[in-house]
Amino acid sequence: MSTAYRTIMPIATLHDYAQPVTALSFDPVSDTLWSGTNAGTVIALHTVEGLRGVSFPVGGDHAVKQIVAGDNHIRALGAAGEGIGSWAKGGMNKWFFRSSSTLTAFSSTTYTSNTLAASSTAPEIVLLNAITGNAVRVAPSSSVATHLQFSHSTLLAASADGYVRVHDPRTGLLRENGENSVLAHGSGVQDLQASGNYFYTIGWSVRRGHDFPDPLVKVYDLRTMRPLPPVPFQDGPAFINILPKHTSSLVVTSAQGLVNVVDVSDYSNVSGFYQLETASYISATAVSSDGSFLAFGDALGAIHLMTAIAEDVEPLFNGFEGQPVEWGDPPDPLPDITWTDSTPLNSIGMPYYNTLLLSSWTPQFLPRSGILSPPPPKIPPQVLSTMKMNDNIAYAALPKELRGRRNRVPVTATKDQGRFRSGKGRRDDIELEALNIDDSVEEVPRIYRKVEIEYSKFGVEDFDFGFYNKTPYSGLETHILNSYTNPMLQVMHYIHPIRRLAKSHITTNCPREHCLLCELGFVARMLEDAGGTNCQGSNFCKTVGVLAQSQNQIELIDYGRESTEVDYAHMIQSFHRFFVDHLSIEGNAFPHNPRLIHQAFQEDTHSPAAAPITQLLGIDAKTIITCMSCKAVREKENMTHVVDMVYPRRLTPLDPPPATDFASILLASLIRQMTHKATCQTCKQFATFSSRRSIPASELPPVLAVNASVYNEDNLKLWLDNRQSRFLSPTVEVRDELDGVDEVGGVVYELRAMVVQIMTKARHSHLVAIVKVPEAEGQPNLKSPWFLFNDFVVRNISEEEALSFPSTWKIPAVLYFERIDVRKQLDYSGLPQQLDQSILSLDTSISVNRDENLIQHECLSYEELPKPGTLVAIDAEFVSMQQEETEYRSDGTHRVIRPARLSLARVSVLRGDDPKEGVPFIDDHIHTSEVIVDYLTEFSGIKFGDLDPHLSRYTLTPLKLVYKKLRVLVDRGCIFIGHGLSKDFRIINIFVPPEQVIDTVDLYFLPTRQRRLSLRFLSWFVLHEHIQTDTHDSIEDARSALRLYKAFQDFEDRGVFDGKLEQLYREGKQYNWKPPPQTPRPTTTRSPVVATQTSPIPQFPMMNQNFAQSQFTTANFPAFFAPTDMQFGVGGHSQNWNNQRHR
């Protein structure tokens, strides 16, 4: 750019308005000049030709006083002072700040990128949030400020009284330390500019009783508020501007069109004077972002341009083409109306008007009271009678008789609500693609969008997960902290070697209380057994939080923040490395690790094998480091489990373009050739070193774990599809590269799974897994073996869709490959496969002060170890680790946002068959190291200290050991009897096949009544026992469930169950489904059941003899089970228990 300016053709686009140009501002990112007119309109002028674009009013009928153009906004203030506004470059208003007094100025720059300063006639300084337009702080000022400028550390305010004052940019108050004001001009400041440690002013002084422009530009040191030698300008300066990139240079302009570009450090140079050819006076000035263009608006609507760009260079305002211009939307053409006698008048539409319409009421029609609307209705008395006060706010539930009539307007739902199994009128034919999961996102396909669990009054168990997953592969629930790891769990589960290893690890005696490999194995077993039923990985997520916090890696913990605040792609990649490192450590049984793969290069079979995960994922590379000065070479061995992708960069324009295909980038990431500077131990010089890995392809691992490391747009562009091909392919060949030379040999990897981040336009993100399921390969009825796991949404997709990255909403995070040539060579014979069932015979306890008198269980002997079909009764108690998050509405209703997180606290398992029927063989309290927020003593019977190894008097066992006991029972084919077992098994994180579950809540249930009965009520009516009188006891509850099942069997054998169940519901309604208060038993009892029973129900051995009776016979049933007018076997038909529970 030349230092001299030349005049070019002025912009005459605004001549038609014949109005002064009152404000100008160059757009910093596009070839646009923004102009303000005397009529209060901002107009965009594009290119040096002044092509007219967007226009919009700033408020008021006066001139535009000030315009500031930013990267993505236009801020403007009108001379009327009605308010400051921010507009998009398309003309849409973002915000508009109004003040109770007239606004006079605002700062052209912001402080700390989001604080804008404004002044008013109050007088006061207002600090605004530049993003929202909200007032952050209001501070009084000594005089009305006419100009505001932020320096690097202060806020300068030039006032109408001629003073320039220094304010604190954080509070708006006058600076307390040092000088805070200086009298610059006696009769007011006309313009103010600041640069570095200096600021410049022009203004008026009083001469002979009249205001007269000072013929100089005053210069002040901002640090001392002392004047420096001024810059003379005899023609009377009217505007001053800082010249960008030359912070010591000013552009001084007079009203007559004299322009002086002067260097303040050498203002004696008079060569920078220019005279504009104008027939009027100059009314506005502006300088482009690089100083290559100067603009001057005059009173006739012309904009004069001066440029420092050579004539043979394309004249661009900022020296570059910049962003595309945003043109205003053209108005819709008027409709062509064919006028007939029947044409409705409303087809014409409402014209624009600026006078009162005939329908506007005049004051003569207003009532004397001045109230135009009817008074508000009185609050009904039934609402007032139930009203409660809390912090001066009254709350009351809306009575049933008023619901739907008062203060309610029926509206159509914007999106489908959660689907519940208890809901009526379900439309099972609706496909998941038709479900309106979130219409706020247009680009992301519905199946990939974030889904959340809705909660009905029956809890999460009522949510219809089956609607979202019709495949035999289970999804995972999301309402748990750290559930962002769900996709990684799915990936690990479907990588067959890792699944085998994790399942094997849970059969070992792992000593760690918190072990990710154990939890992965438990989840793998659960997902295998579930067969499409939703599962919950709360134990795994809890272990992730505990281990991450213990190692101070809190960035891996999800605290339930908004998804816009979390980069889940980076988070899952950090967790991936953390996860794999833990799996390697936890699975290492050195020197007894089994050898999983036998290859030719592993000749020393007698040396101890590495950790199993290291054998599967480990890359044992040799790093070769070369000094570029003396060529000294040294080697260093290193082991890594995860490959971070490194993308190519062209360091200079002369470098050849790097290879951008996936195979080449993956190879470069494995080799990681780089340079660094250090002191060479050989030549003793500070030299440049070159390092690279040397990895023979034959030694690459069976499973390749890759972090995609896509952290910017340039990297993401490589992944996006183009017309010719896709970046990712089903297989990739990795060739040998030894000593920088490509070898012929190589190995082929097959892509098996991916974790992908889904990013919406609103920057909300979540993670999904895309997996090639081994069990689905070769099935002809599927699109492909590829499945999408979007938490609990599971969907079969095509391979083309799985490998495609159509747009920026789909961002790769983690990839897993399996080496094809060694897949069948993996040897799992050395891995243990079966849990040791003798664990059921061990009395395990870590309690230091266990009271022998409180032991109620008797461990199984070897002869009692369960066989397929063995009946066991089970019940569990839980404590709360996190409170429920609930949203309360103004009408008294509430919605559960996140349910309470429960943890297993006690589990009791009883024998269900003779000879020790009803005797517990497991009664373990569960040790937890987490903080318990609520013991739920009323419902669990657990008290403070019961789960502490140093305080507990009960049998205290680690959660993992209890889980293994239950796992053995499931694997041995035991049939579990209990009440409400589905919720218990979900929280425990174990899946029990339906054919192994007998749930009394389903046995004693009439689907037509839609009410399930509590164990306490059933025990009182059926067994004539009062249970749960003070607190819950898991042994008592399990024993009651067992006896209820025995009673059910007896009724089924006699064919009277259906009639008894109907009568149970009829009588239960009279008691409000609750047993009456316990009273001493009267001398007369209910009439016994008619003694037509041929075989009594077997006797129950009891550990506690406080029950009402010790032998359970027909004489113990309440009389309502045998009405005199009904004979056994009439009115019902016999069904076996398995059919009955599915009624």
Side-chain angles (χ1 to χ4, degrees), residues 12 39 66 160 165 179 213 293 352 364 427 642 677 694 746 805 840 879 899 910 913 977 991 1058 1083 1094:
Q66 189 176 354
R165 295 178 173 86
E179 295 291 334
F293 272 86
Y352 295 101
Q364 288 78 10
R427 297 173 295 168
V642 179
K677 289 185 176 293
S694 177
F805 289 86
L840 299 174
V879 292
L910 283 62
D913 296 318
I977 302 170
F991 180 83
D1058 291 340
T1083 54
T1094 57

Side-chain angles (χ1 to χ4, degrees), residues 661-673:
D661 61 290
F662 179 80
S664 300
I665 295 177
L666 179 60
L667 180 60
S669 303
L670 285 167
I671 296 172
R672 295 186 69 86
Q673 185 166 359

Side-chain angles (χ1 to χ4, degrees), residues 665-730:
I665 295 177
L666 179 60
L667 180 60
S669 303
L670 285 167
I671 296 172
R672 295 186 69 86
Q673 185 166 359
M674 61 184 67
T675 59
H676 65 278
K677 289 185 176 293
T679 301
C680 179
Q681 298 299 321
T682 303
C683 62
K684 306 300 181 182
Q685 295 183 2
F686 188 73
T688 300
F689 287 82
S690 172
S691 65
R692 62 187 308 277
R693 291 176 181 165
S694 177
I695 310 172
S698 59
E699 297 183 14
L700 287 172
V703 178
L704 192 62
V706 178
N707 277 345
S709 303
V710 177
Y711 297 134
N712 56 55
E713 293 183 1
D714 293 336
N715 297 346
L716 182 58
K717 286 179 182 178
L718 296 173
W719 288 81
L720 298 183
D721 300 342
N722 54 46
R723 295 180 180 178
Q724 290 78 21
S725 62
R726 293 190 307 265
F727 181 69
L728 205 57
S729 58

Side-chain angles (χ1 to χ4, degrees), residues 739-752:
D739 300 328
V741 179
D742 286 343
E743 296 187 0
V744 177
V747 295
V748 178
Y749 279 95
E750 179 186 17
L751 179 63
R752 299 299 303 187

Side-chain angles (χ1 to χ4, degrees), residues 391-403:
D391 294 335
N392 297 325
I393 299 175
Y395 295 91
L398 188 64
K400 292 183 178 179
E401 60 269 19
L402 296 180
R403 292 181 183 176

Side-chain angles (χ1 to χ4, degrees), residues 109-150:
T109 58
T110 59
Y111 183 72
T112 65
S113 77
N114 60 358
T115 301
L116 186 70
S119 60
S120 70
T121 56
E124 60 189 12
I125 300 294
V126 183
L127 299 182
L128 304 176
N129 187 318
I131 300 175
T132 63
N134 297 326
V136 178
R137 190 180 295 272
V138 179
S141 60
S142 304
S143 178
V144 177
T146 57
H147 298 82
L148 296 172
Q149 289 288 346
F150 278 112

Side-chain angles (χ1 to χ4, degrees), residues 277-295:
E277 297 181 4
T278 175
S280 180
Y281 62 89
I282 301 300
S283 55
T285 63
V287 180
S288 66
S289 61
D290 64 344
S292 59
F293 272 86
L294 309 179

